Amino acid sequence: NPLKKGVLYASSQGKDFTFIKSGIGAGLSGDAVLRLKDTPCETIIFLGSCGLTQSEKNWGIGSFLVPECSLNCESFSNMLQDKMSDDDYAFPDKELMETFLATSDRPMRMAKVATLGSILLEDKYHQWLVDRDIKAVEMETSAVFHAAKEINRRVIGLLYVTDIIGE
C-alpha cells in the first residue's frame, strides 16, 4: 500500500504489520513509539541507517547491523559542551533479536551503537566512541529502545551502513 502522509508521520498498512516513517532524530522516532501505547502493536522493528566508527574487514557500506545495545548520546547540547556520558544504554528485546538473527538469510553483525544528537559533531567524538567499543553511530535507536520499554513492547533494530566516519 502507498504511504499515507500525516502531519508528523507517514504510514502504510500491510496484512500483518504497519510501516511507520518518522523524521530523523530521537525525538520524532521516540514519540512515534510512544504513540503505539494504546494500539494492538506487539513488536517494533526499527529500520534505519548508521555510520561505522571505523573500517573493518568484510564490513562496510551496505552491510547490515543489529544493535545489541545503544548508548544514549542524544543531546546536541551535551555534545557541543563536552558533556558526553557513557552510562546510559538502551537494549533491544534479547529473545526477539536472537530469533531474528537465527532466521535471517542475510549476514548480519551485532554491535554496540551510539545514538548521537549531531552528525557534524561526530568527528569530535570519534576516538571517544572507538575507545568505548562503539561500532556505529545513528540518531534514533536509544530513544526507540527506551520508548518501547516504557510502553512494554518488544523491539529490535536493523541498521544498514551508509558511511564510515572520516572516510
Side-chain angles (χ1 to χ4, degrees), residues 71-85 114-126 128-129 137-139 165:
L71 178 61
N72 171 7
C73 299
E74 299 167 16
S75 173
F76 177 90
S77 296
N78 283 353
M79 288 183 76
L80 193 61
Q81 298 171 11
D82 293 322
K83 295 181 180 177
M84 294 283 276
S85 173
T115 299
L116 301 183
S118 170
I119 295 171
L120 189 62
L121 295 173
E122 70 185 15
D123 287 335
K124 177 179 178 179
Y125 289 97
H126 185 212
W128 186 89
L129 294 161
V137 294
E138 44 71 45
M139 300 188 84
I165 295 176

Short mmCIF file of all heavy atoms in Angstrom, two decimals, residues 71-85 114-126 128-129 137-139 165:
data_model
loop_
_atom_site.label_atom_id
_atom_site.label_comp_id
_atom_site.label_asym_id
_atom_site.label_seq_id
_atom_site.Cartn_x
_atom_site.Cartn_y
_atom_site.Cartn_z
N LEU A 71 24.00 3.34 23.11
CA LEU A 71 24.40 4.35 24.08
C LEU A 71 23.63 5.65 23.83
O LEU A 71 23.60 6.14 22.71
CB LEU A 71 25.91 4.60 23.98
CG LEU A 71 26.50 5.66 24.90
CD1 LEU A 71 26.28 5.31 26.37
CD2 LEU A 71 27.98 5.83 24.61
N ASN A 72 23.02 6.17 24.88
CA ASN A 72 22.25 7.40 24.78
C ASN A 72 23.19 8.61 24.80
O ASN A 72 23.66 9.02 25.85
CB ASN A 72 21.25 7.48 25.94
CG ASN A 72 20.57 8.83 26.03
OD1 ASN A 72 20.72 9.69 25.17
ND2 ASN A 72 19.81 9.03 27.09
N CYS A 73 23.45 9.14 23.62
CA CYS A 73 24.20 10.39 23.45
C CYS A 73 23.36 11.33 22.59
O CYS A 73 23.84 11.99 21.68
CB CYS A 73 25.55 10.12 22.79
SG CYS A 73 26.63 9.04 23.70
N GLU A 74 22.07 11.35 22.88
CA GLU A 74 21.09 12.05 22.04
C GLU A 74 21.16 13.56 22.12
O GLU A 74 20.64 14.25 21.25
CB GLU A 74 19.67 11.62 22.44
CG GLU A 74 19.39 10.16 22.28
CD GLU A 74 18.11 9.75 22.97
OE1 GLU A 74 17.27 10.62 23.30
OE2 GLU A 74 17.93 8.54 23.18
N SER A 75 21.79 14.11 23.14
CA SER A 75 21.73 15.55 23.36
C SER A 75 22.75 16.31 22.52
O SER A 75 23.96 16.18 22.72
CB SER A 75 21.96 15.86 24.83
OG SER A 75 22.06 17.27 25.02
N PHE A 76 22.25 17.14 21.62
CA PHE A 76 23.11 18.02 20.83
C PHE A 76 23.89 18.95 21.76
O PHE A 76 25.11 19.13 21.61
CB PHE A 76 22.26 18.84 19.85
CG PHE A 76 23.05 19.84 19.05
CD1 PHE A 76 23.59 19.48 17.83
CD2 PHE A 76 23.27 21.12 19.53
CE1 PHE A 76 24.33 20.39 17.10
CE2 PHE A 76 24.01 22.04 18.80
CZ PHE A 76 24.54 21.68 17.58
N SER A 77 23.21 19.52 22.73
CA SER A 77 23.86 20.46 23.65
C SER A 77 24.97 19.79 24.45
O SER A 77 26.04 20.37 24.65
CB SER A 77 22.84 21.08 24.60
OG SER A 77 21.92 21.86 23.86
N ASN A 78 24.73 18.57 24.94
CA ASN A 78 25.78 17.87 25.68
C ASN A 78 26.98 17.60 24.79
O ASN A 78 28.13 17.72 25.24
CB ASN A 78 25.26 16.56 26.26
CG ASN A 78 24.42 16.77 27.49
OD1 ASN A 78 24.31 17.87 28.02
ND2 ASN A 78 23.79 15.71 27.95
N MET A 79 26.75 17.25 23.53
CA MET A 79 27.87 17.03 22.62
C MET A 79 28.65 18.32 22.43
O MET A 79 29.88 18.34 22.47
CB MET A 79 27.38 16.50 21.27
CG MET A 79 26.87 15.08 21.29
SD MET A 79 26.40 14.49 19.65
CE MET A 79 28.01 14.19 18.92
N LEU A 80 27.94 19.40 22.23
CA LEU A 80 28.57 20.69 21.97
C LEU A 80 29.39 21.17 23.18
O LEU A 80 30.46 21.76 23.02
CB LEU A 80 27.49 21.72 21.62
CG LEU A 80 27.93 23.04 21.04
CD1 LEU A 80 28.66 22.83 19.72
CD2 LEU A 80 26.73 23.94 20.83
N GLN A 81 28.90 20.89 24.37
CA GLN A 81 29.53 21.37 25.60
C GLN A 81 30.46 20.35 26.26
O GLN A 81 30.80 20.49 27.43
CB GLN A 81 28.45 21.80 26.59
CG GLN A 81 27.59 22.94 26.07
CD GLN A 81 26.40 23.20 26.97
OE1 GLN A 81 26.30 22.70 28.08
NE2 GLN A 81 25.49 24.02 26.48
N ASP A 82 30.84 19.31 25.52
CA ASP A 82 31.75 18.27 26.04
C ASP A 82 31.21 17.61 27.31
O ASP A 82 31.94 17.38 28.27
CB ASP A 82 33.15 18.84 26.32
CG ASP A 82 33.84 19.25 25.04
OD1 ASP A 82 33.71 18.55 24.03
OD2 ASP A 82 34.53 20.30 25.06
N LYS A 83 29.93 17.30 27.32
CA LYS A 83 29.30 16.65 28.47
C LYS A 83 28.78 15.26 28.10
O LYS A 83 27.72 14.85 28.56
CB LYS A 83 28.16 17.51 29.00
CG LYS A 83 28.61 18.84 29.57
CD LYS A 83 27.42 19.63 30.08
CE LYS A 83 27.85 20.96 30.65
NZ LYS A 83 26.70 21.77 31.09
N MET A 84 29.52 14.56 27.28
CA MET A 84 29.10 13.21 26.87
C MET A 84 29.21 12.25 28.04
O MET A 84 30.14 12.34 28.85
CB MET A 84 29.97 12.73 25.72
CG MET A 84 29.78 13.53 24.45
SD MET A 84 28.28 13.11 23.59
CE MET A 84 28.86 11.70 22.69
N SER A 85 28.27 11.33 28.13
CA SER A 85 28.25 10.34 29.20
C SER A 85 28.19 8.95 28.57
O SER A 85 27.59 8.76 27.52
CB SER A 85 27.02 10.56 30.08
OG SER A 85 26.90 9.52 31.01
N ALA A 114 25.85 3.98 19.14
CA ALA A 114 25.55 5.17 19.93
C ALA A 114 24.58 6.04 19.15
O ALA A 114 24.75 6.25 17.95
CB ALA A 114 26.82 5.96 20.22
N THR A 115 23.55 6.50 19.84
CA THR A 115 22.61 7.44 19.26
C THR A 115 23.13 8.84 19.56
O THR A 115 23.21 9.24 20.72
CB THR A 115 21.21 7.26 19.87
OG1 THR A 115 20.74 5.94 19.59
CG2 THR A 115 20.23 8.27 19.30
N LEU A 116 23.50 9.55 18.49
CA LEU A 116 24.08 10.88 18.64
C LEU A 116 23.06 11.97 18.34
O LEU A 116 22.13 11.76 17.58
CB LEU A 116 25.28 11.06 17.72
CG LEU A 116 26.45 10.08 17.91
CD1 LEU A 116 27.59 10.44 16.95
CD2 LEU A 116 26.94 10.07 19.33
N GLY A 117 23.30 13.15 18.90
CA GLY A 117 22.44 14.30 18.67
C GLY A 117 22.94 15.21 17.56
O GLY A 117 22.29 16.21 17.25
N SER A 118 24.08 14.88 16.95
CA SER A 118 24.63 15.71 15.89
C SER A 118 25.47 14.87 14.94
O SER A 118 26.30 14.07 15.38
CB SER A 118 25.51 16.82 16.48
OG SER A 118 26.23 17.49 15.47
N ILE A 119 25.28 15.09 13.66
CA ILE A 119 26.14 14.46 12.66
C ILE A 119 27.45 15.24 12.55
O ILE A 119 28.53 14.68 12.49
CB ILE A 119 25.43 14.39 11.29
CG1 ILE A 119 24.22 13.46 11.38
CG2 ILE A 119 26.40 13.93 10.20
CD1 ILE A 119 23.34 13.49 10.15
N LEU A 120 27.34 16.54 12.57
CA LEU A 120 28.52 17.40 12.42
C LEU A 120 29.53 17.19 13.54
O LEU A 120 30.74 17.23 13.31
CB LEU A 120 28.10 18.86 12.35
CG LEU A 120 29.18 19.87 11.99
CD1 LEU A 120 29.73 19.59 10.59
CD2 LEU A 120 28.63 21.28 12.06
N LEU A 121 29.07 16.94 14.76
CA LEU A 121 29.96 16.79 15.90
C LEU A 121 30.49 15.38 16.10
O LEU A 121 31.30 15.14 17.00
CB LEU A 121 29.25 17.26 17.18
CG LEU A 121 28.89 18.74 17.23
CD1 LEU A 121 28.05 19.04 18.47
CD2 LEU A 121 30.15 19.60 17.20
N GLU A 122 30.10 14.43 15.25
CA GLU A 122 30.56 13.05 15.45
C GLU A 122 32.07 12.93 15.28
O GLU A 122 32.71 12.12 15.96
CB GLU A 122 29.82 12.06 14.56
CG GLU A 122 30.12 12.15 13.10
CD GLU A 122 29.26 11.24 12.24
OE1 GLU A 122 28.23 10.72 12.71
OE2 GLU A 122 29.64 11.04 11.08
N ASP A 123 32.67 13.72 14.41
CA ASP A 123 34.13 13.68 14.24
C ASP A 123 34.84 14.05 15.55
O ASP A 123 35.87 13.47 15.89
CB ASP A 123 34.58 14.64 13.14
CG ASP A 123 34.24 14.13 11.75
OD1 ASP A 123 34.12 12.91 11.58
OD2 ASP A 123 34.09 14.97 10.84
N LYS A 124 34.30 15.00 16.28
CA LYS A 124 34.88 15.44 17.55
C LYS A 124 34.97 14.29 18.56
O LYS A 124 35.87 14.25 19.39
CB LYS A 124 34.02 16.58 18.10
CG LYS A 124 34.43 17.11 19.44
CD LYS A 124 33.49 18.25 19.85
CE LYS A 124 33.82 18.81 21.22
NZ LYS A 124 32.93 19.90 21.60
N TYR A 125 34.01 13.37 18.50
CA TYR A 125 33.93 12.28 19.46
C TYR A 125 34.36 10.94 18.88
O TYR A 125 34.15 9.90 19.51
CB TYR A 125 32.50 12.17 20.02
CG TYR A 125 32.19 13.33 20.93
CD1 TYR A 125 31.51 14.44 20.46
CD2 TYR A 125 32.62 13.32 22.25
CE1 TYR A 125 31.25 15.52 21.28
CE2 TYR A 125 32.36 14.40 23.08
CZ TYR A 125 31.68 15.49 22.59
OH TYR A 125 31.44 16.55 23.41
N HIS A 126 34.97 10.96 17.72
CA HIS A 126 35.34 9.72 17.05
C HIS A 126 36.16 8.79 17.96
O HIS A 126 35.80 7.64 18.17
CB HIS A 126 36.09 10.03 15.75
CG HIS A 126 36.40 8.81 14.96
ND1 HIS A 126 37.52 8.71 14.18
CD2 HIS A 126 35.76 7.64 14.82
CE1 HIS A 126 37.55 7.54 13.60
NE2 HIS A 126 36.49 6.86 13.98
N TRP A 128 36.62 8.94 21.19
CA TRP A 128 35.83 8.65 22.40
C TRP A 128 34.91 7.46 22.15
O TRP A 128 34.79 6.57 22.99
CB TRP A 128 35.04 9.90 22.78
CG TRP A 128 34.29 9.85 24.07
CD1 TRP A 128 34.75 10.20 25.29
CD2 TRP A 128 32.92 9.45 24.25
NE1 TRP A 128 33.76 10.05 26.24
CE2 TRP A 128 32.63 9.58 25.62
CE3 TRP A 128 31.92 8.99 23.40
CZ2 TRP A 128 31.38 9.27 26.16
CZ3 TRP A 128 30.67 8.68 23.93
CH2 TRP A 128 30.41 8.82 25.30
N LEU A 129 34.27 7.42 20.99
CA LEU A 129 33.38 6.31 20.63
C LEU A 129 34.16 5.02 20.42
O LEU A 129 33.77 3.97 20.93
CB LEU A 129 32.60 6.67 19.36
CG LEU A 129 31.60 7.82 19.51
CD1 LEU A 129 31.23 8.39 18.15
CD2 LEU A 129 30.37 7.37 20.27
N VAL A 137 27.31 4.68 14.66
CA VAL A 137 26.55 5.80 15.20
C VAL A 137 25.31 6.03 14.33
O VAL A 137 25.31 5.77 13.13
CB VAL A 137 27.40 7.09 15.27
CG1 VAL A 137 28.52 6.92 16.28
CG2 VAL A 137 27.95 7.48 13.91
N GLU A 138 24.26 6.49 14.99
CA GLU A 138 22.99 6.79 14.31
C GLU A 138 22.24 7.78 15.18
O GLU A 138 22.82 8.30 16.13
CB GLU A 138 22.22 5.49 14.02
CG GLU A 138 22.17 4.48 15.15
CD GLU A 138 21.31 4.90 16.30
OE1 GLU A 138 20.20 5.40 16.07
OE2 GLU A 138 21.74 4.77 17.45
N MET A 139 20.97 8.04 14.90
CA MET A 139 20.28 9.11 15.61
C MET A 139 18.93 8.71 16.24
O MET A 139 18.17 9.60 16.63
CB MET A 139 20.07 10.29 14.66
CG MET A 139 21.39 10.83 14.13
SD MET A 139 21.23 12.34 13.19
CE MET A 139 21.22 13.54 14.52
N ILE A 165 32.87 7.07 9.50
CA ILE A 165 33.36 8.35 10.00
C ILE A 165 34.78 8.61 9.50
O ILE A 165 35.65 7.76 9.58
CB ILE A 165 33.34 8.39 11.55
CG1 ILE A 165 31.91 8.31 12.07
CG2 ILE A 165 34.02 9.66 12.07
CD1 ILE A 165 31.79 8.25 13.58
#
